[in-house]
Each structure stands twice: as structure tokens, then as C-alpha cells.
């Protein structure tokens, strides 16, 4: 699977299932970038398998990802008690699963 280590990665996993198709060498591009690329295929999840509140997850996730490499306890201070309840306060946003994000938003009013 493709990790949700960014807002884009999280969006992809909220709405679909990503699959790596092939690697594209940096030499395939002009000018040549410093990194290789990957072609992915995204199969849209049926509505019944999608999380119920992707917009709420993305709203909170944008704040959580806004300060790269910061723990959730630093970026989401207004909901620190909820983070502690779920034992997520010492994690970084890229370490949360879709289930963790779902649990978090379900406890927030």
C-alpha cells in the first residue's frame, strides 16, 4: 500500500485503493529530476466501504500535517484530551491509520 504520509496520500486512501503499477526512471524525463517516479492506479472504493466523514478527517488532517514532523499533541492542541484518550498524542499524523482518523473525528464534536 501507499503510506498516508501526506494530505494527498490520506485523500487517496479515504476514497480509493492505490496500487503501484510501475516505476519510471528519472532518465525518462527532460530535464532529469533527482528522483524516480511511480505510476499508480487508484480504484475508487464503493460508497459503503468509504469512511463516513472524509471531509472532517481532511479538515483535521490539514492542521495536523501543517507542521511537518510535529507530534499531534503539538499541532492539535485544542483536542489534546481526545488525543490522550485514544493514546495518539505522541504520534505524528503520518503514523495514523484511516481507522485512527475515524475514531478521532467520531469523538470530536
Amino acid at each position: 500500500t501507499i503510506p498516508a504520509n501526506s494530505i494527498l496520500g490520506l485523500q487517496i486512501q479515504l476514497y480509493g485503493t492505490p496500487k503501484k503499477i510501475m516505476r519510471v526512471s528519472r532518465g525518462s524525463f527532460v530535464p532529469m529530476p533527482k528522483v524516480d517516479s511511480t505510476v499508480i492506479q487508484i480504484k475508487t472504493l464503493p460508497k459503503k466501504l468509504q469512511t463516513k466523514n472524509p471531509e472532517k478527517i481532511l479538515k483535521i488532517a490539514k492542521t495536523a500535517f501543517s507542521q511537518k514532523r510535529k507530534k499531534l499533541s503539538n499541532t492539535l492542541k485544542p483536542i489534546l484530551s481526545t488525543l490522550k484518550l485514544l493514546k495518539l498524542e505522541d504520534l505524528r499524523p503520518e503514523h495514523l491509520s484511516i481507522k485512527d482518523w475515524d475514531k478521532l473525528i467520531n469523538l470530536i464534536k
Side-chain angles (χ1 to χ4, degrees):
T1 63
I2 296 171
N5 57 5
S6 67
I7 289 292
L8 178 59
L10 183 59
Q11 284 175 311
I12 289 169
Q13 290 189 22
L14 285 171
Y15 294 104
T17 304
K19 179 182 175 186
K20 291 181 183 180
I21 301 298
M22 63 186 270
R23 185 179 153 277
V24 181
S25 169
R26 66 189 88 183
S28 299
F29 300 95
V30 176
M32 186 168 58
K34 294 180 182 179
V35 296
D36 292 329
S37 297
T38 300
V39 175
I40 64 170
Q41 175 186 39
I42 303 168
K43 290 188 179 182
T44 305
L45 289 171
K47 286 282 187 192
K48 64 183 178 184
L49 295 179
Q50 291 179 12
T51 184
K52 292 179 178 143
N53 296 303
E55 295 83 16
K56 286 184 182 179
I57 290 175
L58 290 171
K59 184 176 179 180
I60 292 170
K62 284 179 185 177
T63 302
F65 278 105
S66 67
Q67 296 181 32
K68 201 161 180 79
R69 305 293 302 150
K70 293 277 188 177
K71 292 181 181 178
L72 294 171
S73 58
N74 291 320
T75 56
L76 299 176
K77 286 181 183 178
I79 59 167
L80 186 56
S81 59
T82 305
L83 292 169
K84 285 182 178 180
L85 182 67
L86 294 172
K87 298 182 171 129
L88 299 175
E89 73 273 14
D90 290 328
L91 297 178
R92 291 182 171 85
E94 61 266 24
H95 297 131
L96 269 61
S97 68
I98 298 296
K99 286 183 183 182
D100 291 331
W101 286 110
D102 257 339
K103 289 177 189 174
L104 183 59
I105 60 138
N106 286 329
L107 288 177
I108 298 170
K109 299 292 178 208

